[in-house]
């Protein structure tokens, strides 16, 4: 109900912004207004804040409000690049939130089946990809693809406990026993080993394709 009520109450704000000729975007009570200079931004901030508080009788959240470059602000998870002609990109906060959720799903202490793990990842990543389709920066998404698969390899390694279990599992996934034994006896942590040649060979990216894990780099393109 909150976004709906905000849209009803703040309809007058939209009308006022259009009347003043401002370029803006608003969803619920989150609104960005775009002007040509910092000086203009300060002037507009003061004028619109006054309109909101005196005309609409609402309180402006000064802690979240600011005059800044579009690339320094976020809106519904999106931001802009610092290029001469700005492009839409995913905000740093949205990327952090994405990684935090993936970390939560792939915690080594979780004892869930691999099928369930992949199902949870698929559900979250598919929704995330659909939402951020318009921000088709392949560099960002290629990095996230690699990072997610590294998290999965790390999770797999943490589920295997003990030298014998790790060696035997690696052999089962096609690793020669000498290399498997060397990796199994390694003192490196799971995160370091998740990028090792052995884990990469045992679990290449195509291994995860059979579980229909989304590839953001290949599939997340602008509409």
């Amino acid at each position: 109900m909150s976004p709906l009520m905000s849209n009803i109450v703040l309809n007058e704000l939209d009308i006022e912004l259009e009347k003043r000729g401002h370029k803006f975007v608003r969803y619920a009570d989150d609104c960005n207004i775009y002007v040509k200079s910092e000086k203009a931004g300060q002037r507009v901030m003061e004028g619109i804040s006054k309109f909101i508080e005196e005309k609409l009788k609402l309180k402006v959240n000064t802690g979240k409000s600011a005059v800044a470059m579009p690339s320094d602000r976020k809106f519904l998870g999106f931001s802009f690049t610092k290029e001469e002609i700005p492009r839409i990109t995913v905000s740093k906060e949205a990327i952090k939130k994405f990684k935090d959720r993936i970390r939560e799903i792939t915690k080594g202490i979780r004892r869930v089946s691999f099928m369930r793990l992949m199902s949870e990842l698929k559900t979250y990543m598919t929704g995330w990809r659909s939402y951020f389709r318009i921000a088709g920066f392949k560099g960002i998404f290629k990095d996230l693809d690699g990072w997610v698969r590294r998290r999965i390899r790390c999770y797999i390694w943490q589920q295997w406990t003990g030298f014998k279990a790790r060696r035997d599992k690696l052999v089962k996934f096609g690793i020669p026993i000498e290399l498997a034994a060397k990796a199994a006896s390694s003192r490196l942590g799971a995160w370091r080993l998740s990028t090792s040649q052995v884990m990469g060979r045992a679990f290449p990216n195509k291994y995860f394709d059979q579980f229909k894990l989304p590839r953001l780099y290949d599939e997340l393109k602008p509409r």
Side-chain angles (χ1 to χ4, degrees):
M1 290 297 291
S2 180
L4 176 61
M5 293 303 296
S6 295
N7 283 332
I8 294 172
V9 172
L10 294 174
N11 183 57
E12 285 189 62
L13 175 61
D14 295 345
I15 295 173
E16 183 66 18
L17 290 170
E18 290 173 353
K19 187 187 300 182
R20 298 188 186 193
H22 292 312
K23 295 181 179 179
F24 69 96
V25 58
R26 182 181 67 79
Y27 176 77
D29 61 350
D30 194 355
C31 182
N32 284 4
I33 305 170
Y34 302 99
V35 294
K36 293 184 178 181
S37 67
E38 182 178 0
K39 184 177 180 180
Q42 295 291 352
R43 184 179 66 253
V44 171
M45 169 79 85
E46 182 180 347
I48 294 302
S49 295
K50 184 177 181 180
F51 174 82
I52 291 172
E53 295 189 339
E54 294 184 3
K55 176 71 174 179
L56 303 183
K57 307 301 181 183
L58 299 174
K59 181 70 175 177
V60 174
N61 188 334
T62 56
K64 292 185 177 180
S65 302
V67 176
M69 294 292 292
S71 57
D72 295 329
R73 303 296 290 174
K74 65 181 179 66
F75 183 77
L76 302 179
F78 293 95
S79 188
F80 288 99
T81 64
K82 294 183 178 181
E83 299 167 306
E84 184 176 351
I85 301 178
R87 291 182 291 169
I88 299 173
T89 187
V90 184
S91 70
K92 294 178 181 178
E93 292 83 358
I95 292 174
K96 181 181 182 303
K97 186 176 180 181
F98 173 87
K99 287 188 171 184
D100 286 345
R101 178 58 182 147
I102 297 299
R103 287 190 185 98
E104 184 180 340
I105 295 173
T106 58
K107 281 182 180 177
I109 60 174
R110 293 190 73 201
R111 300 298 176 184
V112 298
S113 69
F114 192 70
M115 288 295 295
R116 177 179 169 182
L117 179 85
M118 297 301 287
S119 177
E120 291 180 15
L121 288 172
K122 177 185 174 183
T123 299
Y124 178 70
M125 292 177 67
T126 298
W128 192 91
R129 180 188 65 195
S130 297
Y131 182 79
F132 286 104
R133 288 188 71 89
I134 62 173
F137 277 81
K138 283 200 166 186
I140 294 174
F141 305 122
K142 184 176 182 180
D143 290 344
L144 289 178
D145 272 338
W147 183 85
V148 168
R149 283 150 181 78
R150 182 180 179 185
R151 285 292 311 177
I152 300 171
R153 294 185 186 103
C154 181
Y155 174 85
I156 292 171
W157 187 261
Q158 290 173 315
Q159 301 309 299
W160 300 340
T161 56
F163 170 81
K164 186 176 185 302
R166 288 173 172 171
R167 181 198 62 192
D168 293 349
K169 287 287 187 180
L170 287 172
V171 170
K172 179 181 177 181
F173 283 96
I175 303 301
I177 191 167
E178 296 83 4
L179 290 178
K182 184 177 180 180
S185 62
S186 174
R187 294 185 178 181
L188 296 177
W191 184 241
R192 291 278 299 278
L193 282 167
S194 63
T195 59
S196 67
Q197 183 180 17
V198 167
M199 288 299 286
R201 285 178 59 183
F203 301 99
N205 289 339
K206 64 180 180 180
Y207 173 80
F208 305 115
D209 291 342
Q210 64 184 305
F211 300 97
K212 301 188 184 304
L213 186 69
R215 289 198 184 201
L216 305 180
Y217 175 77
D218 291 336
E219 301 177 44
L220 189 54
K221 299 175 182 178
R223 289 174 177 170

